[in-house]
Each structure stands twice: as C-alpha cells, then as structure tokens.
Amino acid sequence: MKTNRIQIALLALAALGAAAFGVYRVVLHATPVQTVAATQGIVPVRITGPGTVQARVPVTLGARVTATVTVLHADQGDVVKRGQLLAQLDDRDLSAKRASVTGQQDTLARNAKAARANIAKAQADVDLARSKHRRDAELFATGYLSQAALDASGAALRAAEANLDNTKETFAAREAETGILSQEARFADAVLSFTRIVAPMDGVIIQRSAEVGSTVVPGSPMFRMVDPATLWGAARVDESVVGRVRLGMPASIRLRTGEVVSGKVARIARQSDAATRELEVNVAFDAPLERFAIDQEAEVTIHAGEDKGLVLPIGALVQLQGKQGVMLVREGRAQFQSRETGAADAKL
C-alpha cells in the first residue's frame, strides 16, 4: 500500500514538472521568430481564369435538300478558299425538273412568237377593213353604195378590231406565262445549286459529318469551319475582379500544349453565370494560331495594371479568429492586427 502511494506521488510530480516546463516555453521563454519589414512597392495586377479556344464566328454548312452525297472534296483540317467546292449531292431529279422547265420555256417562246405574228396579221386586217369602210362611206355619200353595204363594211371593221384586241390579250397572256416560267426556272436553278456545297469564306474545316453514300436532309450538318483569324480565348473571370478588366488590356494565353501566346481583351460579357458567379471575357490573339483545336483548354491571364501600397511576403499573413492580418512587433512582443489585402504576385 505504501509503495502505491509513492508511485502516485512520483507521477504527480512528473506531471507538475511537465506543466511548469510548458508554461515556461509558452509564456516565460521568448521564441525567436523571423521578421520582415513592410515597404512601399508596386504589385502588378494579374487576373487569371480558366478558358477554352473558341471561334468568334463558327460556320456550320448543312444540306438544304434531301439527297445522297456523291462526292466529297474536303476533310477535317483542310484549308479552303471562299467558293471552293466541298461536296456534291445527287442532282439527277433536280436536273430533270430544270430540264422540264427549260422545255416549257421553249414551247412558250414559240407560242409567244406566234401570238406576236397574229397581232401583226390582225393589225393588217384592221387597216384593210378601216380603209374599205372609209371608201364605202364616201361612195354612200355620193349615192353609189347602199346603206346595207356600208353597214357590212362597218361590221367587218369592228370584227377586225375585236380580233386585234383578242390577239393582243393572247400575247399578253403568253408574256405573263413567260414571266412565271422565268421565276420557276430561277427557283429550279437555286434548288439545283443546293446540291453543290461550297465554302462561304476562307477558313479551316474543323469537322466533317457526312460520308459518300449517306443521305442528307434539310438541316443536316455536313461541315463546320472557322476562320483562324477570328479565334480567341474565352475565359471565365470571377465577378469580384471582372470590374478591373477593360477592353484592349494586354493578356497572355497558356494553351494545354504549353505554348504561351499574347492577346488583348476583345469582349466582356454582360451575362453572369448564376451557378459559378463568373463572366466570360474573350481575349483575341495578336497573331493567328498555326495549330489549334476548338474547345482546347487554356489559361488566360489579363494584365490589369498595378497596385501601389505596402508590400509583404504572402507568408507574413496569418488568420486569427476568422480574420486575416499580420503580427506586428511592438516593444519586443508580437500583436495581431487585421489588414485588408490587395493584389498578389507569386513572382515577387
């Protein structure tokens, strides 16, 4: 029993000694720490955000008629010129329809020519009937012609004039039909031209969605192309810092390949993402990319000027009770003081 009491007393003395040593280390013993002096300086402001390579004006070429792809003249990665033929669709039925319209035009042209000749003939008949009626009127006035003969010549003149009016109306109808057929011919030509898929601009084919033998319908995408000169980096920038971004600010874009290219802010979106609270900022490349991929990952850094103020290493910042600040040394003792921070630069 006496031995147990001695052991308990020894443990209590050990615990008391450890506590006394802890108080000494924390309160009575001053632990040396490294201090830095805050100095006035300039910190460059760099706003960084994730992004992708996008085309300002991507173009999708689709079919406008239902037909079968017969020939393909372009593939992904091809550089094409405006007006260059990219694909040919089966045009046999449309060509037949156009030929039918052409045949109708030829027939109508002959009918119009005949109607024009009928007008000339009817005009000659009117002139002849008018001359005869004039002579008959003179003879009737001198008593050498009866009233019945005069009435007959007058009726013949009216019939000739009516026939002239009829031939003119017939010719006008042929002219109207010619105009309608001309419209049908232009429509047939337009539809026939839809079987030729041509490049609307200079650019690069980034996607081909059709194969020879496949049937396409109106609206079916066949090619996607972009103009390399219109590429830019679409970055997502937090709402808290996007207010410092201005059009024309210099920027750098680091591609997933490791290549870093320069650019300038070309557009700032006015619609924020409700989930991420970010806005899109588009940075145009200073020079077209030689090799690129749409939607390629990139990191965009916008150089948004400089901040002046007290400069400290970021390691000097501490957190205490949810506040950020620094430990100030006053009369040999460290005291916490909260501070608001500005821009940071890892290169300083």
Side-chain angles (χ1 to χ4, degrees):
M1 190 70 178
K2 184 177 181 180
T3 304
N4 290 339
R5 290 177 180 176
I6 295 173
Q7 290 177 347
I8 293 173
L10 291 175
L11 290 174
L13 289 174
L16 183 61
F21 180 75
V23 171
Y24 169 76
R25 290 286 296 174
V26 175
V27 178
L28 302 178
H29 178 70
T31 303
V33 295
Q34 183 180 1
T35 61
V36 293
T39 59
Q40 289 288 336
I42 297 175
V43 178
V45 179
R46 296 183 177 93
I47 299 174
T48 302
T52 55
V53 176
Q54 298 292 338
R56 193 175 314 179
V57 187
V59 175
T60 300
L61 305 179
R64 300 183 65 178
V65 294
T66 300
T68 301
V69 180
T70 57
V71 183
L72 288 171
H73 297 284
D75 200 357
Q76 299 183 40
D78 289 351
V79 178
V80 297
K81 296 293 184 181
R82 180 178 181 181
Q84 181 176 332
L85 181 63
L86 305 180
Q88 177 69 52
L89 306 182
D90 187 359
D91 62 355
R92 288 175 294 179
D93 55 342
L94 297 176
S95 296
K97 291 180 181 179
R98 181 61 178 91
S100 175
V101 174
T102 301
Q104 295 178 46
Q105 285 181 306
D106 293 341
T107 301
L108 190 57
R110 289 192 293 269
N111 291 338
K113 184 177 181 180
R116 190 179 293 106
N118 290 337
I119 290 176
K121 181 179 180 301
Q123 183 65 55
D125 291 342
V126 168
D127 293 341
L128 180 61
R130 186 176 291 118
S131 176
K132 184 176 184 303
H133 182 66
R134 189 182 303 111
R135 289 194 302 270
D136 288 347
E138 293 174 356
L139 291 175
F140 176 77
T142 58
Y144 289 101
L145 191 68
S146 64
Q147 181 67 45
L150 180 63
D151 292 343
S153 66
L157 175 60
R158 290 191 294 275
E161 290 175 341
N163 184 57
L164 176 61
D165 292 340
N166 182 61
T167 55
K168 287 183 178 179
E169 291 298 327
T170 300
F171 178 74
R174 298 293 180 269
E175 287 290 313
E177 291 175 357
T178 300
I180 294 174
L181 275 181
S182 296
Q183 294 291 340
E184 291 184 6
R186 282 194 287 271
F187 176 75
D189 288 336
V191 174
L192 187 60
S193 69
F194 296 157
T195 61
R196 292 170 52 85
I197 310 300
V198 299
M201 63 180 186
D202 296 347
V204 178
I205 303 295
I206 61 172
Q207 184 178 3
R208 193 189 77 188
S209 305
E211 298 295 338
V212 174
S214 60
T215 299
V216 293
V217 298
S220 297
M222 297 182 64
F223 297 95
R224 286 188 66 212
M225 63 179 300
V226 299
D227 180 359
T230 66
L231 296 180
W232 57 16
R236 296 182 298 277
V237 177
D238 192 87
E239 293 175 342
S240 61
V241 294
V242 75
R244 302 195 63 161
V245 180
R246 298 288 184 271
L247 293 177
M249 279 184 170
S252 58
I253 304 96
R254 177 180 292 276
L255 304 177
R256 187 65 181 272
T257 59
E259 180 183 5
V260 179
V261 293
S262 61
K264 291 181 177 60
V265 176
R267 186 173 68 182
I268 304 171
R270 297 296 180 181
Q271 178 67 47
S272 180
D273 189 303
T276 63
R277 312 317 306 177
E278 294 173 331
L279 289 84
E280 182 174 300
V281 176
N282 301 113
V283 176
F285 299 111
D286 288 339
L289 299 179
E290 293 183 2
R291 300 189 62 179
F292 65 89
I294 299 300
D295 293 329
Q296 178 183 357
E297 186 179 358
E299 183 181 71
V300 178
T301 301
I302 301 170
H303 306 284
E306 298 175 335
D307 277 351
K308 296 181 179 180
L310 291 176
V311 178
L312 284 172
I314 196 168
L317 297 177
V318 296
Q319 294 282 343
L320 184 62
Q321 297 180 349
K323 295 182 179 181
Q324 180 174 261
V326 294
M327 300 299 294
L328 297 181
V329 178
R330 290 178 177 173
E331 298 179 355
R333 301 179 66 86
Q335 297 179 358
F336 177 79
Q337 188 168 8
S338 63
R339 282 289 184 266
E340 293 184 0
T341 58
D345 186 8
K347 296 182 179 180
L348 294 181

Short mmCIF file of all heavy atoms in Angstrom, two decimals, residues 149-185:
data_model
loop_
_atom_site.label_atom_id
_atom_site.label_comp_id
_atom_site.label_asym_id
_atom_site.label_seq_id
_atom_site.Cartn_x
_atom_site.Cartn_y
_atom_site.Cartn_z
N ALA A 149 -74.59 47.86 -147.69
CA ALA A 149 -73.18 47.61 -147.99
C ALA A 149 -72.29 48.39 -147.01
O ALA A 149 -71.25 47.90 -146.55
CB ALA A 149 -72.86 48.00 -149.42
N LEU A 150 -72.73 49.61 -146.68
CA LEU A 150 -71.95 50.40 -145.71
C LEU A 150 -71.96 49.75 -144.34
O LEU A 150 -70.93 49.70 -143.65
CB LEU A 150 -72.52 51.82 -145.63
CG LEU A 150 -71.81 52.76 -144.66
CD1 LEU A 150 -70.35 52.98 -145.08
CD2 LEU A 150 -72.55 54.11 -144.59
N ASP A 151 -73.13 49.26 -143.93
CA ASP A 151 -73.23 48.60 -142.63
C ASP A 151 -72.35 47.34 -142.59
O ASP A 151 -71.74 47.02 -141.57
CB ASP A 151 -74.68 48.22 -142.34
CG ASP A 151 -75.54 49.46 -142.12
OD1 ASP A 151 -74.95 50.54 -141.86
OD2 ASP A 151 -76.77 49.34 -142.20
N ALA A 152 -72.28 46.63 -143.70
CA ALA A 152 -71.47 45.41 -143.75
C ALA A 152 -69.99 45.74 -143.60
O ALA A 152 -69.25 45.04 -142.90
CB ALA A 152 -71.73 44.67 -145.06
N SER A 153 -69.54 46.81 -144.26
CA SER A 153 -68.12 47.18 -144.13
C SER A 153 -67.80 47.67 -142.72
O SER A 153 -66.72 47.44 -142.17
CB SER A 153 -67.75 48.24 -145.16
OG SER A 153 -68.45 49.46 -144.89
N GLY A 154 -68.79 48.33 -142.08
CA GLY A 154 -68.57 48.77 -140.70
C GLY A 154 -68.47 47.58 -139.74
O GLY A 154 -67.63 47.56 -138.81
N ALA A 155 -69.32 46.58 -139.98
CA ALA A 155 -69.26 45.38 -139.14
C ALA A 155 -67.93 44.65 -139.34
O ALA A 155 -67.35 44.12 -138.38
CB ALA A 155 -70.44 44.46 -139.48
N ALA A 156 -67.45 44.59 -140.57
CA ALA A 156 -66.17 43.94 -140.84
C ALA A 156 -65.03 44.67 -140.12
O ALA A 156 -64.09 44.05 -139.60
CB ALA A 156 -65.92 43.90 -142.35
N LEU A 157 -65.10 46.01 -140.05
CA LEU A 157 -64.07 46.78 -139.35
C LEU A 157 -64.09 46.48 -137.86
O LEU A 157 -63.05 46.27 -137.22
CB LEU A 157 -64.29 48.28 -139.60
CG LEU A 157 -63.36 49.22 -138.83
CD1 LEU A 157 -61.90 48.94 -139.19
CD2 LEU A 157 -63.72 50.68 -139.11
N ARG A 158 -65.32 46.43 -137.29
CA ARG A 158 -65.41 46.14 -135.85
C ARG A 158 -64.91 44.73 -135.53
O ARG A 158 -64.28 44.49 -134.51
CB ARG A 158 -66.86 46.33 -135.39
CG ARG A 158 -67.30 47.80 -135.38
CD ARG A 158 -68.62 47.95 -134.66
NE ARG A 158 -69.71 47.29 -135.38
CZ ARG A 158 -70.40 47.85 -136.37
NH1 ARG A 158 -70.10 49.08 -136.78
NH2 ARG A 158 -71.39 47.18 -136.94
N ALA A 159 -65.19 43.79 -136.41
CA ALA A 159 -64.72 42.42 -136.19
C ALA A 159 -63.19 42.36 -136.27
O ALA A 159 -62.54 41.64 -135.47
CB ALA A 159 -65.34 41.49 -137.23
N ALA A 160 -62.60 43.09 -137.20
CA ALA A 160 -61.14 43.10 -137.31
C ALA A 160 -60.50 43.72 -136.07
O ALA A 160 -59.47 43.25 -135.56
CB ALA A 160 -60.73 43.86 -138.57
N GLU A 161 -61.14 44.80 -135.56
CA GLU A 161 -60.60 45.44 -134.36
C GLU A 161 -60.73 44.51 -133.14
O GLU A 161 -59.82 44.45 -132.30
CB GLU A 161 -61.35 46.75 -134.11
CG GLU A 161 -61.03 47.83 -135.15
CD GLU A 161 -61.88 49.08 -134.98
OE1 GLU A 161 -62.94 49.00 -134.31
OE2 GLU A 161 -61.49 50.14 -135.50
N ALA A 162 -61.85 43.81 -133.06
CA ALA A 162 -62.02 42.86 -131.95
C ALA A 162 -60.99 41.74 -132.04
O ALA A 162 -60.44 41.29 -131.02
CB ALA A 162 -63.44 42.29 -131.97
N ASN A 163 -60.75 41.27 -133.25
CA ASN A 163 -59.74 40.21 -133.42
C ASN A 163 -58.35 40.72 -133.02
O ASN A 163 -57.55 39.98 -132.41
CB ASN A 163 -59.73 39.73 -134.86
CG ASN A 163 -58.77 38.58 -135.08
OD1 ASN A 163 -58.86 37.54 -134.42
ND2 ASN A 163 -57.82 38.76 -135.98
N LEU A 164 -58.05 41.99 -133.31
CA LEU A 164 -56.76 42.57 -132.92
C LEU A 164 -56.64 42.62 -131.40
O LEU A 164 -55.59 42.27 -130.83
CB LEU A 164 -56.61 43.97 -133.51
CG LEU A 164 -55.34 44.74 -133.11
CD1 LEU A 164 -54.09 43.99 -133.55
CD2 LEU A 164 -55.37 46.16 -133.70
N ASP A 165 -57.72 43.04 -130.74
CA ASP A 165 -57.70 43.08 -129.27
C ASP A 165 -57.49 41.68 -128.70
O ASP A 165 -56.75 41.49 -127.71
CB ASP A 165 -59.00 43.68 -128.74
CG ASP A 165 -59.14 45.16 -129.07
OD1 ASP A 165 -58.10 45.80 -129.34
OD2 ASP A 165 -60.29 45.67 -129.06
N ASN A 166 -58.14 40.69 -129.31
CA ASN A 166 -58.01 39.32 -128.83
C ASN A 166 -56.58 38.81 -128.98
O ASN A 166 -56.04 38.16 -128.07
CB ASN A 166 -58.99 38.42 -129.59
CG ASN A 166 -58.93 36.99 -129.08
OD1 ASN A 166 -59.19 36.72 -127.92
ND2 ASN A 166 -58.56 36.06 -129.96
N THR A 167 -55.96 39.08 -130.11
CA THR A 167 -54.57 38.63 -130.31
C THR A 167 -53.62 39.33 -129.35
O THR A 167 -52.64 38.74 -128.87
CB THR A 167 -54.13 38.87 -131.76
OG1 THR A 167 -54.32 40.27 -132.09
CG2 THR A 167 -54.94 38.03 -132.73
N LYS A 168 -53.90 40.59 -129.03
CA LYS A 168 -53.05 41.30 -128.06
C LYS A 168 -53.18 40.69 -126.66
O LYS A 168 -52.19 40.55 -125.94
CB LYS A 168 -53.42 42.78 -128.04
CG LYS A 168 -52.97 43.56 -129.27
CD LYS A 168 -53.32 45.03 -129.14
CE LYS A 168 -52.82 45.82 -130.35
NZ LYS A 168 -53.17 47.26 -130.25
N GLU A 169 -54.40 40.34 -126.28
CA GLU A 169 -54.61 39.71 -124.97
C GLU A 169 -53.92 38.36 -124.92
O GLU A 169 -53.34 37.97 -123.89
CB GLU A 169 -56.11 39.57 -124.70
CG GLU A 169 -56.83 40.90 -124.45
CD GLU A 169 -56.30 41.61 -123.23
OE1 GLU A 169 -55.89 40.94 -122.26
OE2 GLU A 169 -56.28 42.86 -123.24
N THR A 170 -54.00 37.62 -126.02
CA THR A 170 -53.34 36.32 -126.07
C THR A 170 -51.82 36.48 -125.90
O THR A 170 -51.17 35.73 -125.17
CB THR A 170 -53.65 35.62 -127.39
OG1 THR A 170 -55.07 35.42 -127.51
CG2 THR A 170 -52.96 34.26 -127.48
N PHE A 171 -51.29 37.49 -126.59
CA PHE A 171 -49.85 37.73 -126.47
C PHE A 171 -49.47 38.14 -125.04
O PHE A 171 -48.46 37.71 -124.50
CB PHE A 171 -49.42 38.81 -127.46
CG PHE A 171 -47.97 39.15 -127.37
CD1 PHE A 171 -47.02 38.29 -127.87
CD2 PHE A 171 -47.55 40.34 -126.77
CE1 PHE A 171 -45.67 38.59 -127.80
CE2 PHE A 171 -46.20 40.64 -126.69
CZ PHE A 171 -45.25 39.77 -127.20
N ALA A 172 -50.34 38.98 -124.40
CA ALA A 172 -50.08 39.39 -123.02
C ALA A 172 -50.11 38.19 -122.08
O ALA A 172 -49.30 38.10 -121.14
CB ALA A 172 -51.11 40.43 -122.58
N ALA A 173 -51.02 37.25 -122.34
CA ALA A 173 -51.06 36.04 -121.51
C ALA A 173 -49.79 35.22 -121.68
O ALA A 173 -49.26 34.66 -120.71
CB ALA A 173 -52.30 35.21 -121.88
N ARG A 174 -49.32 35.12 -122.91
CA ARG A 174 -48.06 34.40 -123.14
C ARG A 174 -46.89 35.09 -122.44
O ARG A 174 -46.00 34.43 -121.89
CB ARG A 174 -47.78 34.30 -124.64
CG ARG A 174 -48.82 33.53 -125.44
CD ARG A 174 -48.79 32.06 -125.06
NE ARG A 174 -49.78 31.30 -125.82
CZ ARG A 174 -51.03 31.08 -125.41
NH1 ARG A 174 -51.43 31.56 -124.23
NH2 ARG A 174 -51.86 30.38 -126.16
N GLU A 175 -46.90 36.41 -122.45
CA GLU A 175 -45.85 37.15 -121.75
C GLU A 175 -45.91 36.89 -120.24
O GLU A 175 -44.87 36.73 -119.58
CB GLU A 175 -45.99 38.65 -122.02
CG GLU A 175 -45.58 39.08 -123.41
CD GLU A 175 -44.09 38.98 -123.61
OE1 GLU A 175 -43.33 39.44 -122.75
OE2 GLU A 175 -43.68 38.42 -124.64
N ALA A 176 -47.11 36.85 -119.68
CA ALA A 176 -47.26 36.58 -118.24
C ALA A 176 -46.77 35.17 -117.92
O ALA A 176 -46.08 34.95 -116.91
CB ALA A 176 -48.71 36.75 -117.82
N GLU A 177 -47.12 34.22 -118.77
CA GLU A 177 -46.66 32.85 -118.56
C GLU A 177 -45.14 32.76 -118.66
O GLU A 177 -44.50 31.99 -117.93
CB GLU A 177 -47.31 31.92 -119.59
CG GLU A 177 -48.81 31.73 -119.38
CD GLU A 177 -49.44 30.90 -120.50
OE1 GLU A 177 -48.69 30.53 -121.44
OE2 GLU A 177 -50.64 30.64 -120.44
N THR A 178 -44.58 33.58 -119.56
CA THR A 178 -43.12 33.60 -119.67
C THR A 178 -42.48 34.09 -118.38
O THR A 178 -41.46 33.54 -117.91
CB THR A 178 -42.70 34.51 -120.83
OG1 THR A 178 -43.26 34.01 -122.06
CG2 THR A 178 -41.19 34.57 -120.97
N GLY A 179 -43.08 35.12 -117.76
CA GLY A 179 -42.56 35.61 -116.50
C GLY A 179 -42.66 34.58 -115.39
O GLY A 179 -41.73 34.41 -114.59
N ILE A 180 -43.80 33.85 -115.35
CA ILE A 180 -43.96 32.81 -114.33
C ILE A 180 -42.94 31.71 -114.52
O ILE A 180 -42.31 31.23 -113.56
CB ILE A 180 -45.40 32.24 -114.39
CG1 ILE A 180 -46.40 33.31 -113.99
CG2 ILE A 180 -45.52 31.01 -113.49
CD1 ILE A 180 -47.85 32.89 -114.16
N LEU A 181 -42.74 31.30 -115.77
CA LEU A 181 -41.75 30.25 -116.03
C LEU A 181 -40.34 30.73 -115.71
O LEU A 181 -39.50 29.93 -115.28
CB LEU A 181 -41.84 29.80 -117.49
CG LEU A 181 -42.88 28.72 -117.79
CD1 LEU A 181 -42.85 28.35 -119.27
CD2 LEU A 181 -42.66 27.49 -116.94
N SER A 182 -40.08 32.01 -115.91
CA SER A 182 -38.76 32.54 -115.56
C SER A 182 -38.52 32.43 -114.06
O SER A 182 -37.42 32.07 -113.61
CB SER A 182 -38.63 34.00 -116.01
OG SER A 182 -38.71 34.11 -117.42
N GLN A 183 -39.57 32.71 -113.27
CA GLN A 183 -39.46 32.56 -111.82
C GLN A 183 -39.24 31.09 -111.45
O GLN A 183 -38.42 30.77 -110.58
CB GLN A 183 -40.73 33.08 -111.14
CG GLN A 183 -40.95 34.58 -111.28
CD GLN A 183 -39.93 35.39 -110.50
OE1 GLN A 183 -39.28 34.91 -109.59
NE2 GLN A 183 -39.76 36.65 -110.89
N GLU A 184 -39.97 30.20 -112.12
CA GLU A 184 -39.80 28.78 -111.85
C GLU A 184 -38.39 28.32 -112.23
O GLU A 184 -37.80 27.48 -111.55
CB GLU A 184 -40.85 27.97 -112.62
CG GLU A 184 -42.27 28.16 -112.11
CD GLU A 184 -43.25 27.27 -112.85
OE1 GLU A 184 -42.81 26.44 -113.67
OE2 GLU A 184 -44.46 27.41 -112.60
N ALA A 185 -37.88 28.87 -113.32
CA ALA A 185 -36.52 28.50 -113.74
C ALA A 185 -35.49 28.97 -112.73
O ALA A 185 -34.55 28.24 -112.39
CB ALA A 185 -36.23 29.10 -115.11
#
